[in-house]
Amino acid sequence: MLATRWSVLISPSLNEQKQRLLISSDDAKEISKDITAELMQAREDKDWGTIEQIENEFFAHCIARNDRLAFSLVWFRLGKSDWQFDERWNNCQQHLDQTIKT
């Protein structure tokens, strides 16, 4: 569902990670809008199972594609609506922060 036209698998060089997946900023912005809308609708419907599933798929997407932009946009948008961020959100953020340093 989160695959985009700019999700690209490239071969590693000697000093790179085994694989690196890239995503365009346009696609990251579009994904963030879709994810935010889906999460907000699921919260309105009180569908906690769907929320957890969407969040888990989103975290997997962000980590696999190193998509800091989508993560930041969703975090910001949900934060404005008093979203309750759990430890999984913090873990994903820490993982993305660590990839900047490595």
Side-chain angles (χ1 to χ4, degrees), residues 11-69:
S11 298
S13 69
L14 292 175
N15 294 324
E16 289 292 328
Q17 298 172 356
K18 291 183 181 177
Q19 63 182 5
R20 178 167 290 199
L21 297 170
L22 305 175
I23 187 166
S24 76
S25 61
D26 290 339
D27 287 334
K29 290 173 187 174
E30 192 65 32
I31 286 170
S32 70
K33 285 181 200 173
D34 292 344
I35 293 296
T36 303
E38 289 177 24
L39 288 171
M40 295 300 291
Q41 183 62 52
R43 182 170 78 170
E44 185 176 315
D45 297 341
K46 297 181 181 186
D47 189 349
W48 314 124
T50 297
I51 289 173
E52 185 175 357
Q53 179 184 355
I54 293 168
E55 287 177 330
N56 287 336
E57 290 174 6
F58 179 61
F59 300 144
H61 159 80
C62 291
I63 290 169
R65 288 169 180 78
N66 210 13
D67 194 351
R68 288 183 215 83
L69 179 57

Side-chain angles (χ1 to χ4, degrees), residues 36 58 70-80 83 85-86 89-90 93:
T36 303
F58 179 61
F71 183 85
S72 297
L73 290 171
V74 171
W75 181 290
F76 178 74
R77 289 176 180 146
L78 292 177
K80 291 189 339 184
W83 193 263
F85 297 104
D86 62 23
W89 283 91
N90 293 325
Q93 182 180 39

